[in-house]
Amino acid sequence: MRLDRARGRFYVAPASAGSGETAGPATCVWASGFGKRVTSDDDDSRPGGFDERLRKARAARRDPLAADDPGAQADSDLALGLRVGLEIVAGVAVGGFLGYWADRWLGTSPWLMIVFVLFGFAGGVKNVLQTAARASAAADTAARASETGKTDATDDAGGAKPSERD
Amino acid sequence: MAGPLEQFEIHRIGAPLEVAGLDISFNNAAAYMIAVAGLLTAFVMLGTRRQALVPGRLQSMVEMSYEFVAGMVRDNIGSHGRSFFPFVFSLFMFVLTANVMGLLPYAFTVTSHLAVTFAFAICIFFAVVLIGLVRNGLSFFSLFMPSGTPWILAPLIVAIEVFSFLVRPVTLSVRLFANMTAGHILLKVFAGFIVSLGAGGGVMAALGVLPFAMIVAFQALELLVAVAHAYVFALLTCVYLKDAVDVAH
């Protein structure tokens, strides 16, 4: 047993390294790869070696702003819950506010306010439904992507499809 | 003892300043906004000063923020999102820093004022309308008319769509403001219990441990709320900007 130094990292060379018949992995006992299994023929250029791993890692590194990969990332449930809570209340409030001032302006009190509150409520419900549809579409895409083991390139999770809008 | 709402008061700093009947004196809210912007500038500039291949702690933090926001912009706006990244990044980092900074004792929370959050929201709202009109012309208004709507229902649908569009700045701003304000009031009320119980002495003072434990838990919860709402704010900004860049419904 001896200590070898390869690429700044020490490891224990297998005892049988010379004979070449049972070149099983040895346990690394030193430096960065402590406890990792390394083999004596850990050559940079062999398949699965350092070069190939580096190439793979470089390929996996993509520009975060590049749009060609629609990563179907479902929003967290927390963010979703925080978003929908307020929509309906705000819809009614905005409808009431606009209706009140429209009535003051046109002297049609209270009719515009009643109509606008209803529209505001409907608008709020629409926002909630749209958010929910978008979230479930994203979740479906994410589930499908994890099933097949690759990202689904056909579905853009960010946008609600026309059918999801009421 | 200070009331639970006293933390939201605006105090003038320095000389009173008035322009055309408007009080534009420098105040604590403005001071904290400048502090937030300064802190952020220092954070990003120091983090990217030495662009090491293997990043250090500070550079890592800057890169993580960049990648987080970049991912959010890419996923929610799509191929046109790149040009909005600087805006969304600044917005997210500002709201996040203001929220978290407000959790420090004695600190003022900039985002606990509706004036601040609504100013942001209304800017985003008008930005969406303007960018939408510039990029798509009048076909931007097809946003209010989903494809496949029966003509009989069109007036109703358009009215509902217009209202759901008008509600956006309100929900965006009220959500952030209400959550920050409510959390800070809650913390202050429980802190008040500790002082009152402590003044009671004896058994009462011993019971003061209970609200204290609550405060520790609430502080953690408020940290979560601060980060989550900065995220929600930026995320919804992305969702709204997407409407401006592609109206293909």
Side-chain angles (χ1 to χ4, degrees):
Chain A
M1 184 172 276
R2 65 201 160 86
L3 279 177
D4 273 2
R5 189 167 193 276
R7 294 190 305 279
R9 176 173 79 174
F10 291 94
Y11 63 92
V12 181
S16 56
S19 65
E21 52 177 40
T22 52
T27 307
C28 184
V29 292
W30 193 249
S32 59
F34 187 85
K36 227 185 260 173
R37 310 293 280 184
V38 291
T39 51
S40 62
D41 58 345
D42 191 11
D43 188 19
D44 283 355
S45 54
R46 79 191 160 87
F50 181 75
D51 285 352
E52 192 184 318
R53 277 180 279 133
L54 181 65
R55 216 176 320 116
K56 271 188 189 151
R58 283 205 172 128
R61 243 182 66 140
R62 54 189 167 76
D63 182 359
L65 276 173
D68 54 340
D69 173 30
Q73 177 197 7
D75 301 342
S76 72
D77 295 340
L78 176 72
L80 192 67
L82 294 173
R83 277 166 61 178
V84 297
L86 195 70
E87 295 284 359
I88 296 176
V89 181
V92 172
V94 167
F97 178 82
L98 291 180
Y100 176 77
W101 287 104
D103 272 338
R104 287 273 297 256
W105 182 43
L106 298 169
T108 51
S109 183
W111 299 109
L112 278 180
M113 185 165 163
I114 293 172
V115 173
F116 279 21
V117 163
L118 289 176
F119 277 137
F121 179 72
V125 172
K126 198 225 106 191
N127 278 344
V128 171
L129 288 177
Q130 195 178 338
T131 308
R134 189 176 286 158
S136 68
D140 283 352
T141 315
R144 240 182 300 129
S146 66
E147 265 174 30
T148 54
K150 59 181 196 291
T151 48
D152 191 349
T154 57
D155 194 0
D156 184 1
K161 286 178 282 299
S163 59
E164 287 158 7
R165 298 174 62 94
D166 51 349
Chain B
M1 196 178 67
L5 292 177
E6 208 175 296
Q7 55 182 323
F8 304 119
E9 280 172 9
I10 304 270
H11 303 289
R12 197 181 65 228
I13 298 175
L17 209 60
E18 200 170 292
V19 170
L22 288 172
D23 185 10
I24 58 159
S25 319
F26 195 68
N27 57 35
N28 52 346
Y32 268 93
M33 280 184 238
I34 290 173
V36 168
L39 198 70
L40 272 180
T41 312
F43 170 64
V44 177
M45 285 181 78
L46 289 177
T48 54
R49 189 187 43 183
R50 261 187 327 110
Q51 292 169 8
L53 189 62
V54 179
R57 287 192 189 87
L58 196 62
Q59 191 184 336
S60 251
M61 283 166 73
V62 175
E63 285 180 3
M64 275 163 68
S65 338
Y66 168 85
E67 278 174 16
F68 179 70
V69 178
M72 178 161 66
V73 168
R74 183 196 61 223
D75 291 345
N76 288 289
I77 308 184
S79 54
H80 304 291
R82 193 180 280 269
S83 51
F84 296 113
F85 172 77
F87 173 67
V88 178
F89 183 76
S90 311
L91 190 71
F92 172 72
M93 293 303 279
F94 186 90
V95 174
L96 177 68
T97 314
N99 286 355
V100 174
M101 212 180 184
L103 286 176
L104 298 175
Y106 300 105
F108 177 84
T109 318
V110 176
T111 43
S112 68
H113 277 262
L114 188 57
V116 175
T117 58
F118 192 70
F120 277 142
I122 206 78
C123 283
I124 293 163
F125 178 80
F126 283 119
V128 167
V129 174
L130 283 178
I131 293 167
L133 284 176
V134 167
R135 286 215 184 197
N136 304 293
L138 288 179
S139 69
F140 172 67
F141 291 108
S142 68
L143 184 67
F144 303 125
M145 182 72 186
S147 60
T149 311
W151 283 107
I152 279 226
L153 284 177
L156 199 63
I157 296 291
V158 167
I160 290 171
E161 291 281 343
V162 167
F163 268 98
S164 78
F165 189 73
L166 290 177
V167 166
R168 285 174 174 187
V170 177
T171 49
L172 190 61
S173 57
V174 169
R175 184 183 299 112
L176 179 60
F177 142 77
N179 277 283
M180 297 317 291
T181 305
H184 282 265
I185 291 175
L186 203 65
L187 284 177
K188 200 58 170 254
V189 166
F190 273 89
F193 287 163
I194 302 177
V195 177
S196 309
L197 285 169
V203 186
M204 298 282 266
L207 280 176
V209 174
L210 294 175
F212 184 75
M214 284 303 277
I215 277 208
V216 173
F218 274 134
Q219 188 78 24
L221 178 73
E222 282 308 305
L223 189 61
L224 174 75
V225 167
V227 176
H229 275 282
Y231 171 66
V232 169
F233 199 85
L235 182 77
L236 283 180
T237 304
C238 290
V239 170
Y240 296 163
L241 282 171
K242 186 190 169 60
D243 280 346
V245 290
D246 74 302
V247 187
H249 283 303

